[in-house]
Amino acid sequence: MGEASTRGVRLSTERRLSTLARHLGGHSLSFSSSLGSPPMASRDPNEFIAPCPTAGFYGGSVFANVAQAPEDAILGVTVAYNKDPSPIKVNLGVGAYRTEEGKPLVLNVVRRAEQMLVNDPSRVKEYLPITGLADFNKLSAKLIFGADSPAIQENRVATVQCLSGTGSLRVGAEFLARHYHERTIYIPLPTWGNHTKIFTLAGLSVKTYRYYDPATRGLNFQGLVEDLGSAPSGAIVLLHACAHNPTGVDPTPDQWEQIRQLMRSKGLLPFFDSAYQGFASGNLDADAQSVRMFVADGGECLTAQSYAKNMGLYGERVGALSIVCRSADVAVRVESQLKLVIRPMYSNPPIHGASIVATILKDREMYKDWTIELKAMADRIISMRHQLFDALRARGTPGDWSHIIKQIGMFTFTGLNKEQVAFMTREYHIYMTSDGRISMAGLNSKTVPHLSDAIHAAVTRMN
Ligand code: KET
């Protein structure tokens, strides 16, 4: 270390110790800042540090009392998988698409968009506005609400670019906690594990509504209607736009219509989580129908969109929050308040992922290419459903496994219990969430037999 920097360190140590001493005793322990006679030499620093209960300068950590936190229920599965040296291990935990070769996929259209961005010398790395990339926001609203949506044409939608689906949900929740009169949000039982944490931390009070019926492995529509029917007027209701996670069970269009009528009649506020648009049916418009139904009636709603899955942009963290309002002037004020939520949280969102999405969405050819690649991903997942179902039937595995082909989207909610899951991980190195959810997108033709063997063994030996 050079002399200048040694001096710098000494000066800053002196300053910190002075501050600490003031903080501890309030009395004036003045240090000479003369560099020739460092205060450390003349005073024992422990003399005044010792009374502080968190003192950790000399040995112990000020964080010594921090408890070890458990791993995340979903992302922790990948942590455990990564530690397993077994060559036959399979990760069906996190909902991330893999190719037939078991590899992560960067869509060709995404590669092309990135190449175009890199080759464009006019592109700079300036901050985006607090609300994100304007083009991206407009195109995202069009994608979920439809190009001909009256809400868009009437400028009634406030859209802000956020950090993927999670960030969009969090910003929406923070906004509601500050500006909406009813603090209770109803989430389906079960739901994506992060929902409860996001909404609670934002200051909302979380309650559940019945959604899944383990007996039928389908929708508990009656329970859903009863629970929303007895929710307090004005309560917020979290709805999965399509491909419900973790159950893979969606209401039919007819049931959606009944949910809409019930919610509107009670003034319940819909908050859509759209993390899988295009992944359920392979068609972007079809997967947005539930949301569009609610927007078509002229009422208000919130929508959190993610491009993690449908464009394979997981790590780019690109998504959008749209709030559909009654009128354009409300939308303007809502946007102004969203900026006050975002600015102290992360200031403004990242530019790269949103630029990729905007490049693709605004070019007719690239958009078409995207839909083809998206459909191929959705089709491969559906084909995995059939392969797994056939493989279990061929093994004569006890039970009715038809839910594997009936469920929608990225996941199958197998019905396997915690012990069976633990057994499959221990004996077969198959990693999945403990609620029995498997990511069908992580499977391929080579791993289906291994998974079927594991399920067969778990069901016959562990029930
Ligand atoms: N909503 C739902 C319903 C959802 O399943 C996810 C992610 C998200 C939002 C957030 O995704 P983002 O990457 O923030 O756009 N689910 C998968 C990954 C995860 O848990 O983070 C999963 O369930 O495996």
Side-chain angles (χ1 to χ4, degrees), residues 9 76 82 109 158 181 251 268 285 348 434:
V9 168
N82 287 338
V109 71
H181 66 278
L268 302 174
D285 293 312
N348 50 71
S434 61

Side-chain angles (χ1 to χ4, degrees), residues 111-181:
R111 291 260 191 239
R112 259 167 55 217
E114 284 192 305
Q115 208 53 62
M116 286 165 65
L117 295 170
V118 167
N119 292 343
D120 179 354
S122 72
R123 288 189 53 80
V124 290
K125 303 285 187 189
E126 288 293 281
Y127 288 130
L128 283 179
I130 296 171
T131 51
L133 194 65
D135 265 1
F136 166 85
N137 289 337
K138 281 201 199 91
L139 293 158
S140 294
K142 256 171 74 175
L143 184 69
I144 187 74
F145 302 125
D148 55 355
S149 166
I152 295 177
Q153 282 156 10
E154 293 157 15
N155 293 318
R156 293 192 283 112
V157 187
T159 304
V160 289
Q161 179 193 332
C162 295
L163 304 188
S164 213
T166 308
S168 307
L169 289 164
R170 182 65 189 263
V171 170
E174 298 272 347
F175 170 82
L176 290 171
R178 284 190 205 179
H179 300 286
Y180 187 59
H181 66 278

Side-chain angles (χ1 to χ4, degrees), residues 312-330:
L313 293 174
Y314 306 89
E316 295 292 353
R317 311 309 295 145
V318 50
L321 170 73
S322 286
I323 305 190
V324 178
C325 306
R326 276 271 182 218
S327 64
D329 70 303
V330 173

Side-chain angles (χ1 to χ4, degrees), residues 74-75 93-95 163-166 169 192 195 240 245 273 275-276 306 308-309 317 411 437:
I74 296 173
L75 302 183
V94 68
L163 304 188
S164 213
T166 308
L169 289 164
W192 179 52
H195 280 148
H240 294 229
N245 175 13
D273 182 353
Y276 299 95
S306 167
K309 329 276 170 165
R317 311 309 295 145
F411 305 105
R437 182 191 88 166

Side-chain angles (χ1 to χ4, degrees), residues 387-398 401 428 445-457 460:
Q387 288 188 30
L388 179 61
F389 176 68
D390 292 345
L392 290 173
R393 253 213 324 220
R395 280 163 182 72
T397 307
W401 296 95
Y428 288 82
S445 307
K446 278 171 255 128
T447 50
V448 164
H450 181 56
L451 174 63
S452 322
D453 288 345
I455 292 177
H456 186 86
T460 49

